[in-house]
Amino acid sequence: MSVVLTTSRAFSSCHAAQKILTDAGHQLKMLTPQKPLKADELIHQVKGVSAMLAGLDEINADVIRAASPTLKIIARNGVGYDKVDLNTAKENNIRVTITPGANSLSVCELAFSFITGLSRRIHLMDKSVREKSWQRVSGIELHGKTIGILGTGAIGRHLAIRCQSFGMRVLAYDLFPSQELIEKYGVEYITDLNVIYSQADFLSLHLPANNETRHMINQSTIAKMKKGAFIINTARGELIDDDALYIALKQGYLGGAGLDAFVAEPFLDERFFELENVILTPHTGAFTKEAADKTLIIAAEEIVRALSGKENLFQIN
């Protein structure tokens, strides 16, 4: 009997995903940590397991070697895999899979919530009512505004469609433009990021973190943006230089920011806690019941495929 280690809290309540694995004859070893596990925490849990259904845990070379030779697959219940050492996994013949598209709608809806929330300063007015000061704060309409969407994969695509329906002009950057977005929704693809920076009232990030994108939002790029523009990040914290963003928010050059992804989590940079033009959420873009169930079911199915010797649908290494 193969042992499957699960580290997602949501897995404990997803009976459909559990059933997929147990019906296939696998034994479950369920962990329910309050936050993603660090490598030194995982090392003691992986010995003897055949598969991992993992969240945003740190699965480095030491963890993978500790799990070898029994580990056959690391199934991420999400699309990000920067916390997984792909090279070491490949060297040890361990498959790594993701769950593309399963949580894209939920992440998109959070990004759009940041846009509407920041445009009307909802967080400030909620605070004023609770403090009995009854202070109305003037906001802006979205109709006629321009949004720049960097990355039009599943999440960016959903966001473009919703912004267009609100009467926004949608500028987009992607190495592989979507003809559907162009022809059906009037999305304008721009190859020069500087054009998007200079014209966007809102900038929403939906790119992976790599050498090319790390700190792409920095002092120089922020200076090219409109005064009063807003930045939304539901992708990866590495995309933004926090020091440059803080200064721009503190000085009022940027209108605000909605941040759901951070380099270090939990996010402990108290400078941002004092700012009234930023909304912070604890990497919760995919944290809906619907998204959690879909990602866990797909990840469980990938584990069953791997442990039965079949090809995986979403293997990345």
Side-chain angles (χ1 to χ4, degrees):
M1 179 182 291
S2 299
V3 177
V4 178
L5 173 66
T6 70
T7 61
S8 167
R9 276 189 298 160
F11 184 82
S12 63
S13 60
C14 185
H15 302 300
Q18 293 175 29
K19 189 173 187 300
I20 289 170
L21 293 171
T22 55
D23 282 357
H26 305 308
Q27 178 183 338
L28 302 180
K29 180 180 179 181
M30 292 191 287
L31 303 181
T32 55
Q34 294 299 306
K35 57 185 179 180
L37 295 172
K38 298 293 186 182
D40 58 353
E41 298 172 303
L42 265 178
I43 284 178
H44 307 294
Q45 302 289 345
V46 297
K47 278 198 174 297
V49 305
S50 299
M52 288 181 62
L53 196 158
L56 292 167
D57 313 290
E58 183 185 9
I59 307 175
N60 64 12
D62 292 334
V63 173
I64 292 171
R65 293 188 184 112
S68 186
T70 59
L71 187 64
K72 305 301 180 187
I73 179 173
I74 299 166
R76 273 278 295 113
N77 65 321
V79 294
Y81 49 86
D82 47 298
K83 299 292 185 182
V84 181
D85 187 328
L86 296 182
N87 291 330
T88 304
K90 185 175 181 179
E91 290 170 3
N92 288 270
N93 296 314
I94 297 168
R95 306 182 192 186
V96 180
T97 63
I98 58 174
T99 58
N103 60 21
S104 57
L105 187 55
S106 292
V107 178
C108 157
E109 289 181 353
L110 179 65
F112 195 73
S113 297
F114 279 139
I115 293 169
T116 55
L118 288 165
S119 67
R120 295 305 303 269
R121 311 287 188 180
I122 291 174
H123 59 299
L124 296 182
M125 290 188 283
D126 172 82
K127 181 182 178 183
S128 78
V129 173
R130 294 173 188 272
E131 293 177 346
K132 302 178 183 178
S133 61
W134 203 255
Q135 294 295 315
R136 293 173 179 162
V137 182
S138 179
I140 60 172
E141 292 184 349
L142 297 181
H143 190 275
K145 300 300 188 297
T146 296
I147 181 165
I149 299 177
L150 307 189
T152 55
I155 299 168
R157 175 186 175 279
H158 283 308
L159 184 62
I161 293 170
R162 280 149 184 77
C163 290
Q164 189 271 343
S165 72
F166 267 61
M168 300 182 76
R169 179 190 179 201
V170 182
L171 305 181
Y173 172 84
D174 199 288
L175 297 178
F176 305 97
S178 165
Q179 284 303 122
E180 180 197 20
L181 290 180
I182 296 171
E183 296 170 5
K184 189 174 180 180
Y185 298 100
V187 172
E188 303 170 50
Y189 276 90
I190 308 293
T191 57
D192 185 351
L193 283 171
N194 292 326
V195 173
I196 297 180
Y197 293 144
S198 65
Q199 296 189 23
D201 299 293
F202 293 85
L203 185 70
S204 193
L205 310 179
H206 303 281
L207 295 170
N210 54 42
N211 291 335
E212 286 70 40
T213 61
R214 184 179 183 276
H215 285 187
M216 65 183 301
I217 304 303
N218 52 49
Q219 183 179 9
S220 174
T221 52
I222 290 173
K224 297 171 184 176
M225 296 178 67
K226 288 183 178 180
K227 189 175 189 304
F230 299 86
I231 292 177
I232 312 298
N233 186 13
T234 55
R236 287 290 180 265
E238 288 84 357
L239 302 179
I240 298 178
D241 179 339
D242 285 348
D243 291 334
L245 179 63
Y246 171 77
I247 292 171
L249 290 169
K250 177 71 173 178
Q251 295 178 347
Y253 182 78
L254 288 177
L259 307 176
D260 185 53
F262 310 91
V263 175
E265 297 179 355
F267 184 60
L268 301 175
D269 191 337
E270 296 188 5
R271 297 177 300 171
F272 285 82
F273 301 166
E274 302 170 358
L275 299 175
E276 292 193 331
N277 55 353
V278 62
I279 300 176
L280 306 167
T281 52
H283 207 142
T284 191
F287 216 65
T288 64
K289 173 63 176 172
E290 294 84 355
D293 284 352
K294 283 185 283 188
T295 57
L296 291 167
I297 287 169
I298 294 173
E301 290 172 341
E302 288 288 73
I303 288 173
V304 171
R305 290 187 188 101
L307 296 185
S308 60
K310 297 178 180 178
E311 289 188 10
N312 286 105
L313 299 181
F314 308 114
Q315 184 173 346
I316 56 172
N317 67 333

